Structure formats: structure tokens, C-alpha cells
Amino acid sequence: MSAPFTNAQTTPPSLATPIDSLREETRFLGRLLGSVIRETQGEAAFATIEAVRHAAIDFRRATNDNDNAKAAATDDTTAARAKLDNLLNPLSVDETLSIVRAFSYFLLLANLAEDRSLALQATSKQADRSQSIGVALDVARAAGATPERLAHWLMHAKVAPVLTAHPTEVKRRIILDTERAMSDLLAARAAESDPHDQADIESRLKGRVLQLWQTAMLRLTRLRVVDEIDNALVFYRRTFLSVVPQINRKLGRMLGNGSAHNVLEMGSWIGGDRDGNPFVTAEVLNAALAKQSVVAFEHYLNAVHLLGVELSMSKRLTHTSVALKALAAHAADPSPYRDDEPYRQALVGVYARLYATAKALAGFESPRVPEADLTPYASVDEFASELKVIETSLRDNGAALLADGALADLQASVAGFGFHLAVLDLRQNSDVHEAVVAELLKAAGTHADYLALSEDERVSLLTRELGHARPLATSFTTYTEQTESELAIARAAARAH
């Protein structure tokens, strides 16, 4: 990989290993970047970047040789440094930025190739990787844990990956999206054997590299918290909404029961972490909760619609449960074309209630409007119970395979995400809480100087205060901005529950 920006044949060779693929794709992407730089910046700029790259390689090699020998800087190191300095020092700011961008984007493209290589390695070892959870359970069983004990433990276990607000994601969403598109194109290129189609794919890849080169890596303005929330939710749509239910279902299957559906749950600090971030207010908390909820409802509404397409069984050809018939009747489906399709009728009603719930809880209205006007669900459990009616009817009437497909995926999603998508942790520095409590106690006439008390005295005072039925805060008192903000957060959390 000594010449990543130079032109060469782009057609990939027959690659024997993922490492071969990594090397070839890294070189290929480097050549595309070099071609884009030459065409947009000119030959002189490209030549300067190449000269700097070669000088940097020489300096690194000389430095490594000296480090390995544990010797002082040699003439080779001094000469290599001088060569690099002589190239960089005369450059203007714009020229320097072009070099920085060239190497930054080459590293980005190299990382993309590395991610592809890791994915290929994972695929080649998929049989082993797919058993990783199973192997862990086998080890537990070999140590004496019974299936019942494991099931009990998993019922009380919670694994919660948490998306944090710090540090703020610096890579822009458009760059993430472009990387994803390029990864798909690289996969298509590797699989394509027709030279003309391969050339077309490579042309589109070059277009993506051009797009990256002419897109600023960083924003000129700092992200707002609501922007951070939106960025984090992208990963739910891309990954978590499908992967989390799969893992929970897998655990359930391995234990021979469905009790493990809810072992893995998602968490987030974004929109709830106020420690050192004055921009996380009650309004931001409300926005975070609503945005999370919208993602969950979008997923469920689409899944229910697709399930309605799938479960086309006719009552002339199969039986259904009494509960399923009642669910279908309650939907009041107006379409005569579904008159003999009870599962579809039932799902028309489920969709209508889910649509109404999304509108009531999150203010979200799907573009696909319902065909009935029904009341919202009182809770996520009510939604889950109607899905259970459909499942039971399928299993009791010879269609267990259908119950184990898309319906089971949806049920696992509901168990893992609820109507809230992820638990939102609320964090604040304890010094802030101390000051707020002190102000509330003073304003209520309970204690004039809470901060002066010892730890034992504080515990005693707060214990007594918690025993009172009356609220400590009142709307008839004006508090400081900090205390008002913390009270607003508490009220927003209470409304959310």
C-alpha cells in the first residue's frame, strides 16, 4: 500500500482471503481518491500531496529504525525530517488544508476497507460466531446450571447498551450515509463478474469519493442536543431495531422458552444528561422522549402493515380462534375484499389503534392512514396482548410457522422497545441537586442553611421531609433559574411515566 493515490488497473483480482480483499480495496479506494484530487485540484496539487506522502513514509521508517535500535537520531532521521519540513513549511494555508483533507479522507477510506475486511472475516467464521451465545450457555450448563436456573437468571438480568451524549458524534451524518453506500457498492463490485457492470459500479464509487472530497468533514456550527438525538436515532433504524429482537429471540430459543425476550434493552443519555450541559432542558427532554417514541411507532406501524400483507389466510380454508374473530370484528374493516380474511381484518384494527396511539403519545401521524377509526392503546401491554391473540390463533390452527416469523419478530421488538424505544437516563451533578434542595428547604421555611449541615444531619432532615404528604415546591414561590429548570425536568419525567 505504498502508492494509494496513484493510477493503476482497478479491476479486483481473485481474492483468496479477507486480508487480500483489504489490501486490494484500500489501494483501489486510494487510487480513486488520487484521481479525484488530480481532476479537481490539478496536477501540481496532486504532485505536492504525493511528495509529502512519500516524505512522511521515509521519515516514519527512519524513526522506527532508530526506535528499534534504541539509538539517538541518525543522519537518516535528520535528513528525512528536513525533507518533510522543506515540503510543508512553504505551503499556504489552503495548500496545507488540501493535504490534511487528502490524508484524512484516505484514512476514512482505509477504515471503510478495514470494516469490509472484518465483515468478510466474520462471514467466514459465521458458524462459530453464531454459536457464541450458545457456547456460553453450554459452558454454564456444564458448570451445573440447569435450563430452569438459566431461565430464571435471564428473567432478572438486564443488558443495556447506552448511547452517550459525550463525546458528541463529530462525523457528519451525510458522511456516515456515504460510507454505508460505498460499502454496499464495494460488496457489489466484489460480487460482479461482468466487466461492464463492474466498471459502472466503480464509476459510482468514484462519484461517492468525489462527493466526500467536496463535502466538509466538520460543521461550522456546534450541534444542538436535538441534533445529537436525531443522529443517535439513525443507528436504531440501521441496526438496533432488527438486531436487539434477534438476540432476545435467540436467547429464548436456546432456553426453550420465550422468557428471555427482554434481556437486552437499549438505553440513552442523549437528552437526559444535564451534567455540565445547560442546554438539556425540560423541553429537550420532552423532545428526546417524543423522537424516540416516533422511531418505535414507525417501526411497529410498518411491521403491522407488512404482517397484514403476509397473513392472507381465508376463513374458508382454515379455522381461527374465538378471540381472533372478536378482534377482527372489532376492527370494523370497511373493505369487502377482506371479508373472508380474519387475520387481515384483525390487523386493520391493530394498525388503527397503533396509529391513534402514536398520534396521542408522540404527535406522530404515519403517511399510511388507517382504514378504521379506533381508540388508542391504554398501554404497550394492550398492544402486545392483541398480537398474542393473533399468535395463539395461528399456533392452534396449524400455522405455527407463520407465528414464528415476522409476527415473532414484531413481538420481540415490542418486548424490547415498548412505546419508549430506550430508557432515557437523567443525570445531574450532585452539587446542583444540593443547591436546589437547599433553596427549596429555605423557601419552604424548613431549614435556612441545608448546605451547612453534616451528612448525618442532612439524612435526618431529608428523611423527615420525605415523610410529609405536602409537596416541598410550590407554584406560588419564585425560584432561581437553576431550581426552576431542575423542577421542570422532574415534572417532565413524571408526565412521561
Side-chain angles (χ1 to χ4, degrees):
M1 290 183 287
S2 61
F5 297 155
T6 56
N7 287 328
Q9 177 66 30
T10 59
T11 301
S14 177
L15 303 177
T17 69
I19 297 301
D20 293 332
S21 174
L22 169 62
R23 291 169 178 161
E24 191 279 329
E25 286 189 350
T26 302
R27 292 188 178 107
F28 168 67
L29 292 172
R31 291 192 290 270
L32 290 185
L33 178 59
S35 179
V36 165
I37 293 172
R38 177 184 282 109
E39 292 170 8
T40 58
Q41 306 298 111
E43 287 290 344
F46 176 78
T48 299
I49 291 170
E50 276 292 277
V52 170
R53 185 179 66 81
H54 283 292
I57 291 172
D58 292 342
F59 175 68
R60 180 59 182 266
R61 286 173 177 166
T63 303
N64 286 345
D65 289 342
N66 287 329
D67 287 344
N68 293 335
K70 297 183 178 179
T74 65
D75 291 342
D76 288 344
T77 306
T78 303
R81 179 187 290 276
K83 180 181 178 181
L84 191 56
D85 287 344
N86 289 337
L87 285 168
L88 293 175
N89 290 339
L91 297 178
S92 67
V93 172
D94 286 342
E95 290 170 328
T96 302
L97 287 176
S98 289
I99 290 173
V100 170
R101 291 176 61 237
F103 283 94
S104 296
Y105 276 118
F106 175 70
L107 289 174
L108 183 150
L109 295 173
N111 286 337
L112 176 61
E114 184 176 6
D115 288 343
R116 283 256 310 137
S117 175
L118 291 173
L120 289 172
Q121 293 178 56
T123 300
S124 67
K125 299 177 182 178
Q126 190 159 2
D128 294 330
R129 289 175 61 89
S130 66
Q131 293 300 313
S132 59
I133 296 176
V135 169
L137 293 177
D138 287 342
V139 170
R141 292 189 185 101
T146 64
E148 293 76 18
R149 185 178 176 188
L150 284 171
H152 177 79
W153 183 83
L154 286 170
M155 279 289 290
H156 295 85
K158 179 178 290 187
V159 180
V162 177
L163 300 182
T164 64
H166 304 299
T168 296
E169 172 64 64
V170 294
K171 190 180 288 186
R172 296 180 60 186
R173 191 191 307 177
I174 183 60
I175 292 178
L176 291 170
D177 290 341
T178 304
E179 285 180 312
R180 185 180 180 88
M182 290 183 69
S183 181
D184 292 340
L185 286 170
L186 286 169
R189 171 179 178 262
E192 183 56 64
S193 58
D194 183 278
H196 295 93
D197 291 339
Q198 197 171 81
D200 179 64
I201 293 171
E202 291 176 354
S203 177
R204 284 187 283 163
L205 274 164
K206 184 177 179 180
R208 289 293 189 174
V209 174
L210 174 61
Q211 174 194 344
L212 285 175
W213 180 249
Q214 297 184 338
T215 297
M217 272 192 167
L218 301 176
R219 301 171 179 85
L220 296 178
T221 55
R222 181 175 177 174
L223 282 179
R224 301 170 300 164
V225 179
V226 291
D227 297 320
E228 294 180 22
I229 295 167
D230 288 335
N231 284 350
L233 292 177
V234 170
F235 294 100
Y236 282 89
R237 295 184 176 97
R238 287 181 178 173
T239 306
F240 299 135
L241 284 171
S242 60
V243 172
V244 170
Q246 287 175 10
I247 293 174
N248 284 329
R249 284 192 67 193
K250 187 172 187 177
L251 283 168
R253 287 194 300 270
M254 288 177 174
L255 293 170
N257 60 66
S259 62
H261 272 341
N262 213 21
V263 174
L264 182 60
E265 293 183 351
M266 294 300 301
S268 177
W269 284 0
I270 308 174
D273 182 9
R274 310 189 304 292
D275 187 3
N277 192 345
F279 300 107
V280 179
T281 62
E283 290 75 18
V284 169
L285 174 58
N286 287 329
L289 293 167
K291 286 175 178 289
Q292 287 187 181
S293 190
V294 165
V295 171
F297 280 120
E298 282 179 333
H299 181 65
Y300 298 154
L301 286 164
N302 186 58
V304 169
H305 170 72
L306 293 178
L307 200 58
V309 174
E310 177 183 325
L311 301 185
S312 57
M313 294 81 78
S314 169
K315 63 185 179 183
R316 291 174 290 156
L317 303 174
T318 186
H319 297 289
T320 56
S321 68
V322 173
L324 190 282
K325 291 174 182 175
L327 196 59
H330 180 68
D333 182 6
S335 173
Y337 303 110
R338 290 187 291 267
D339 189 54
D340 71 330
E341 298 173 334
Y343 288 101
R344 283 183 165 176
Q345 289 178 323
L347 286 163
V348 164
V350 170
Y351 185 94
R353 296 197 68 187
L354 192 61
Y355 182 96
T357 309
K359 184 176 180 180
L361 291 185
F364 172 66
E365 296 184 56
S366 172
R368 184 182 290 113
V369 298
E371 298 190 55
D373 185 13
L374 300 179
T375 60
Y377 288 114
S379 68
V380 70
D381 291 338
E382 193 174 4
F383 175 38
S385 70
E386 292 197 345
L387 295 179
K388 186 67 177 179
V389 167
I390 298 172
E391 178 200 351
T392 302
S393 182
L394 289 171
R395 294 193 185 283
D396 291 347
N397 292 282
L401 285 175
L402 296 175
D404 289 333
L407 175 59
D409 290 337
L410 174 57
Q411 289 174 297
S413 295
V414 174
F417 298 116
F419 286 157
H420 61 283
L421 188 69
V423 174
L424 186 59
D425 292 345
L426 304 186
R427 300 195 329 136
Q428 181 56 286
N429 190 292
S430 60
D431 290 341
V432 174
H433 284 159
E434 278 187 344
V436 169
V437 169
E439 182 177 351
L440 292 174
L441 291 169
K442 183 177 181 180
T446 302
H447 198 283
D449 194 1
Y450 171 77
L451 297 179
L453 298 177
S454 68
E455 184 68 17
D456 288 341
E457 289 171 331
R458 290 185 182 186
V459 170
S460 178
L461 172 59
L462 294 177
T463 301
R464 291 197 307 273
E465 187 60 34
L466 288 171
H468 289 302
R470 60 151 175 83
L472 183 60
T474 172
S475 59
F476 300 103
T477 298
T478 301
Y479 300 105
T480 61
E481 182 179 351
Q482 176 176 263
T483 296
E484 289 285 6
S485 178
E486 293 302 307
L487 289 174
I489 288 283
R491 295 185 186 107
R495 284 193 301 272
H497 279 286

